[in-house]
Amino acid sequence: MGFLDNSGDIILDAVLTDLGRKRLSEGNGKFRVAKFAFGDDEIDYGLYEKNNPSGSAYYDIAILQTPVFEAFTNNMSSMKSRLLSYTENDLLYLPVIKHYNEGDSKFASSQSPSLASYIVLVDETTVNALTTDNNSLDDGIMNGFRPDLGSQFLRCDQGLDTTELSNEDFINPVLLETQYFVQLDNRLGFFTAPLTGRKRTAAEGGSSFQPTSIDDDDVATYIFTDTDEANVVTRLAPGDASAIAGPRGTRISLKVASSLELKTSTYLFGQLGSPGTADIVSGTKTLAAADYQFIDSVLRISGVSTGYTLDIPIRFVKKTT
C-alpha cells in the first residue's frame, strides 16, 4: 500500500479486484465492469476550514491536497467504509455496526493482559486443557473443535449509535441492513450457527456454512440475510439490549470453528503463528504461555447495503506441549 501525491490535482486511482483481473484474463470478450465502489478512508474532513483568510476557494484546499491511498486489490485490506448516495436529504445520522461486548459474546477481556479479541481453541487437546466438561469456558473463549458445545459466540449490532434519537424508535427502512458479507481466512476457520435453546448432542454436531467464494488469498466470503433459516441475522426490537444507543436495526450472531488444518497439524502455526506470551485462564484451569502457539487474524463483517465494515480480532490457539 502507498500514497499518491495529490498536491496539485484531484486524483482518482482505480484498479480491478483480484476477481476482476481473473475474469479479464479469461479473454472471452465477456468481461464488463458491472460493479464498483468508491472510498475515502484516508481523508480527514475535519480539515475543512470555513474561516480561511484567503477566501472560500481555500476552505477545502487542505482536503483536496491530502495524499490519497494508492488503489490495491487485496479485499481484506481495501476500503473500510464505502461512499454511498442517498436520495433522502433529511438523514442526520448514518448506521454503524458495533460489537456487542456483553454476556456470551464478550471478548476475552478477563485474561491478563486483557484481550479485545476472541480466543478460538482449535483442537480437543487444547479444549481439554482449559475445561473439565468440554463446554464450560470463560468469556471470549470459543470451542473451535466442537462449536456446538459451549455458549460463547460473536454478536454484532447494526443501527444508529446516537443518544439524540430514542432506542424505542424504529430505524428508517432505508438505513436497515438486512444482508451481510462476512470474511475469514479459509485456512484458519469457518463459521457455524449460534445455538439458541438446548445444546445439540454430540451426534448432531454443529450447523456449518459454505462460503460463497474463496479468493486467491484464501479469504472466504459468506453471505447471510435476515431471511435465512440459520437465524444468523435477526431483527432487533426497539428497546432491546444492544451495543447501539439509538434506533436498532439487525443483529448478526456467529460461532467460529477451527479448520481441519489447524486441528490436525502445527504447520500453519509454524508459518504464521507465535509462541504464547501469557497464560490463558478458564475457571480453575490454566494453559501456560510456554505450552501453546497462536495465530492472530481478523474476521470482517460488512453491510451489503451501507458498506459499513467492522473488523473483529480472532486468536487461534493450539496446545503444543
Side-chain angles (χ1 to χ4, degrees), residues 151-219:
S151 59
Q152 312 301 327
F153 62 97
L154 161 75
R155 182 187 299 169
C156 294
D157 297 345
Q158 182 261 349
L160 305 182
D161 192 36
T162 174
T163 57
E164 297 298 318
L165 300 175
S166 172
N167 59 26
E168 297 289 343
D169 292 340
F170 287 95
I171 191 170
N172 186 327
V174 173
L175 305 178
L176 177 66
E177 195 67 74
T178 61
Q179 191 173 30
Y180 294 88
F181 294 127
V182 187
Q183 296 172 302
L184 181 67
D185 190 324
N186 195 58
R187 297 170 298 174
L188 306 181
F190 56 94
F191 298 113
T192 70
L195 297 181
T196 56
R198 68 174 181 85
K199 293 184 176 67
R200 289 187 175 93
T201 65
E204 289 176 305
S207 175
S208 62
F209 304 106
Q210 295 300 313
T212 303
S213 64
I214 302 174
D215 69 13
D216 59 352
D217 296 313
D218 279 316
V219 175

Side-chain angles (χ1 to χ4, degrees), residues 11-242:
I11 293 177
L12 174 65
D13 189 38
V15 296
L16 292 175
T17 62
D18 293 335
L19 180 59
R21 289 186 295 153
K22 179 181 178 182
R23 296 283 174 81
L24 179 63
S25 68
E26 293 172 355
N28 55 18
K30 297 181 179 180
F31 176 76
R32 298 289 186 275
V33 176
K35 296 182 180 180
F36 59 90
F38 293 112
D40 61 352
D41 292 341
E42 71 274 38
I43 304 301
D44 179 5
Y45 289 100
L47 296 175
Y48 186 83
E49 188 182 3
K50 65 179 180 180
N51 296 319
N52 192 300
S54 299
S56 60
Y58 292 86
Y59 288 177
D60 59 357
I61 191 67
I63 296 174
L64 295 176
Q65 294 185 348
T66 299
V68 297
F69 282 153
E70 181 181 29
F72 46 100
T73 61
N74 188 317
N75 62 322
M76 286 298 280
S77 305
S78 56
M79 294 173 287
K80 183 176 177 62
S81 300
R82 302 168 191 166
L83 296 179
L84 301 172
S85 295
Y86 288 104
T87 56
E88 292 81 357
N89 58 11
D90 59 348
L91 298 177
L92 300 180
Y93 304 95
L94 292 179
V96 298
I97 303 171
K98 292 186 68 176
H99 172 245
Y100 185 61
N101 194 28
E102 299 290 341
D104 290 338
S105 58
K106 290 181 68 173
F107 280 145
S109 54
S110 61
Q111 301 300 313
S112 181
S114 178
L115 291 176
S117 69
Y118 288 106
I119 296 173
V120 178
L121 309 181
V122 302
D123 60 17
E124 187 173 19
T125 301
T126 311
V127 171
N128 289 340
L130 285 170
T131 180
T132 55
D133 58 8
N134 208 38
N135 62 12
S136 180
L137 293 165
D138 277 8
D139 292 341
I141 305 178
M142 295 187 188
N143 186 335
F145 174 68
R146 284 288 308 275
D148 52 299
L149 300 176
S151 59
Q152 312 301 327
F153 62 97
L154 161 75
R155 182 187 299 169
C156 294
D157 297 345
Q158 182 261 349
L160 305 182
D161 192 36
T162 174
T163 57
E164 297 298 318
L165 300 175
S166 172
N167 59 26
E168 297 289 343
D169 292 340
F170 287 95
I171 191 170
N172 186 327
V174 173
L175 305 178
L176 177 66
E177 195 67 74
T178 61
Q179 191 173 30
Y180 294 88
F181 294 127
V182 187
Q183 296 172 302
L184 181 67
D185 190 324
N186 195 58
R187 297 170 298 174
L188 306 181
F190 56 94
F191 298 113
T192 70
L195 297 181
T196 56
R198 68 174 181 85
K199 293 184 176 67
R200 289 187 175 93
T201 65
E204 289 176 305
S207 175
S208 62
F209 304 106
Q210 295 300 313
T212 303
S213 64
I214 302 174
D215 69 13
D216 59 352
D217 296 313
D218 279 316
V219 175
T221 298
Y222 300 75
I223 300 178
F224 299 107
T225 73
D226 64 350
T227 58
D228 293 338
E229 295 181 359
N231 210 37
V232 171
V233 180
T234 55
R235 286 293 303 268
L236 283 165
D240 278 353
S242 171

